[in-house]
Structures are given as structure tokens and as C-alpha cells.
Amino acid sequence: MRKKIVAGNWKMNMELAEGLKLAESVDTYFRSKPSKAEVVLCTPYIHLAGVSQILKDGKVCLGAQNCASEPSGAFTGEISPAMILSTGAGYVIIGHSERRSYYHEDNTILNRKTRLALSTGLKVIFCCGEVLGERESGKYFDVVKNQIENGLFNIPAEEMNSVVVAYEPVWAIGTGLTATPEQAQEMHQYIRGLFSEKYGKEIADNLTILYGGSCKPSNAAEIFSKPDVDGGLIGGAALKKDDFTAIVEAI
Ligand code: PEP
């Protein structure tokens, strides 16, 4: 059975002390109440080392929200996958729609980041998803296909067990609009089909595909009940311990 994952993406929120406090409360919760899903906290870079100490020997995993496309060197302000790994983090989000749109990260750079992160030993949560106009004009399958083919399909099959895909319709991120469970299922099934054609049925069946976009305690169970939805990437609701743990419990 493929792995279920619920990952919280804190984005650019939480000063250090607040973040450590939130991590501590999430960690304490899952130490006493193990979850059916793997729980991941994707924090800002500055929190990683401190949160890693809190999560040590517990049930919750740690991730970053981005990484550099180069392994080291004169790249002022960048953070390499090896640096992320050295904090104790095991995951990195790559290709979030906010990176694609505000920082103009295209498929070429995202593919470089993904290959470097995987070869460093990180697991990658690779995001894809269409904007509202692409949904309305019916182009959404083509858009997601293009992001996945160009972002992931030169990754060797042996590394695919370290790849998680997050389908995040951009029109649903932080907007309060959620894809219907049927819309999520339709796209997740399509994505799994792309992986099946490229890598074969076994790899596709083992691929964890997360839904992201205004997931909250009130809608999580219905979305997670769909057969190709293997968990969620959670933004706003991951900033509140009770909401986040309730979403995890919905698995
Ligand atoms: C996200 O940013 O990945 C996300 C899903 O955000 P939100 O849950 O706030 O829509």
C-alpha cells in the first residue's frame, strides 16, 4: 500500500520562537497519538535546525520549502540541498506555484533542483497545478502534463520512490476555493496514468500524490477519501496546531 502523507507548508510565516512553539505542540501531539499518515513540517530555512532538535526521535518529519539548483559556491542567499539535509530535514518542496510565479522558476530550473535534491538524499515534494484561466479554458490536463514531463520525467526509475507529487490547482491555494473531491480525483488519476505510461504500473501505484489548495478540517476527509488522493499539502491551516492535526486525523 502506498504511503499517505500530510505535509504542512508554513511559507514565510512564524518568527523563530513562534515556529519552535508550533513544532513542539505538533510533535507532542503525534508522539502520543501516532497517525496513519507520515506528517511533515516544511518550515522556513531558519527554523530547520531548531525544529529538527524538537522532532528528533519522534514521529514527525521535517522539510524545507525550496532549495538551490547548485550544490555549493558563490550563490549569495541560496541554500543547497546538502545544507538542508545537514539540519536533519528529509524533504524539500520544489515547484510550488508561488516559486513558479513570483520567482519565475521554470521547468528547467525546477528539474535541476529536483535532480540535485534527489542525488543529495532528500525526498522531493514536486508541485504542479493550473491557474484559473487554464482550468476555465479546459487546458488543465495539458498544463499539468507539461509540468510533470519536463520537471520529472528524466529522473531514473530507481529514484522515483523519493518523489512525491502535489497537485495544487493555483486557483485553490489560499483562496478558500477548494477543488471538489471529484476534480481532485480526476486529476490525480490522470497524473498516476502519466507515471504508469512512463515508469510502469508498479511505480505509478506506489507514487504518493497529495492534494493542496484550501484544505481544512471541514473538507479534508471527503477529499482524502478519493482513491488516488494520498494526503495533502497544507498551507494556511498548517499554522494552527488544532486545524493541522485535525486534517491529519482525516486520513
Ligand atoms: C499551499 O500553499 O501549498 C497551500 C495548499 O496553501 P493553502 O492550504 O493555504 O491553500
Side-chain angles (χ1 to χ4, degrees):
M1 226 178 64
R2 58 182 168 260
K3 193 190 270 185
K4 308 268 184 196
I5 299 176
V6 178
N9 174 13
W10 290 3
K11 309 196 185 189
M12 196 175 71
N13 293 296
M14 303 272 164
E15 291 177 12
L16 183 57
E18 293 171 293
L20 296 179
K21 202 167 149 203
L22 176 59
E24 197 148 354
S25 64
V26 172
D27 176 69
T28 304
Y29 183 92
F30 288 113
R31 275 181 203 260
S32 62
K33 207 164 186 287
S35 147
K36 284 189 204 136
E38 181 158 283
V39 179
V40 187
L41 298 182
C42 296
T43 76
Y45 291 133
I46 63 139
H47 295 71
L48 289 173
V51 171
S52 175
Q53 290 307 308
I54 291 167
L55 303 183
K56 208 168 169 191
D57 304 324
K59 301 274 186 267
V60 178
C61 303
L62 180 62
Q65 302 167 18
N66 179 32
C67 67
S69 57
E70 300 297 328
S72 65
F75 300 99
T76 302
E78 288 292 276
I79 304 288
S80 71
M83 291 170 176
I84 293 169
L85 193 72
S86 74
T87 66
Y91 280 91
V92 61
I93 298 173
I94 292 182
H96 191 280
S97 68
E98 288 149 20
R99 300 296 316 174
R100 290 178 189 265
S101 66
Y102 303 147
Y103 302 98
H104 313 293
E105 294 189 0
D106 60 15
N107 290 327
T108 307
I109 194 92
L110 296 174
N111 179 249
R112 263 167 94 109
K113 289 185 178 202
T114 301
R115 283 185 293 136
L116 181 62
L118 290 171
S119 67
T120 305
L122 290 171
K123 292 180 181 154
V124 169
I125 300 174
F126 185 88
C127 302
C128 58
E130 78 285 357
V131 299
L132 186 58
E134 292 162 342
R135 164 79 33 189
E136 287 175 342
S137 63
K139 289 193 201 128
Y140 46 101
F141 287 125
D142 290 344
V143 169
V144 168
K145 184 178 186 198
N146 181 270
Q147 290 170 336
I148 287 181
E149 280 182 351
N150 291 297
L152 291 177
F153 277 4
N154 60 357
I155 305 294
E158 315 81 81
E159 291 184 7
M160 284 311 301
N161 58 359
S162 295
V163 173
V164 173
V165 171
Y167 168 58
E168 301 205 296
V170 181
W171 46 272
I173 296 180
T175 58
L177 291 174
T178 316
T180 63
E182 291 70 30
Q183 285 171 324
Q185 168 58 24
E186 181 187 42
M187 182 58 89
H188 284 224
Q189 191 174 15
Y190 175 73
I191 292 170
R192 204 176 300 288
L194 294 175
F195 280 85
S196 185
E197 274 169 38
K198 170 75 187 167
Y199 291 100
K201 190 172 178 322
E202 193 182 337
I203 285 181
D205 282 347
N206 284 326
L207 178 72
T208 298
I209 308 178
L210 311 181
Y211 168 79
S214 299
C215 228
K216 34 189 186 268
S218 58
N219 61 22
E222 211 188 339
I223 296 172
F224 295 164
S225 72
K226 292 295 175 191
D228 286 291
V229 178
D230 308 311
L233 181 55
I234 317 299
L239 299 174
K240 293 190 191 124
K241 178 231 150 200
D242 288 347
D243 284 359
F244 184 62
T245 54
I247 291 171
V248 176
E249 299 270 353
I251 284 274

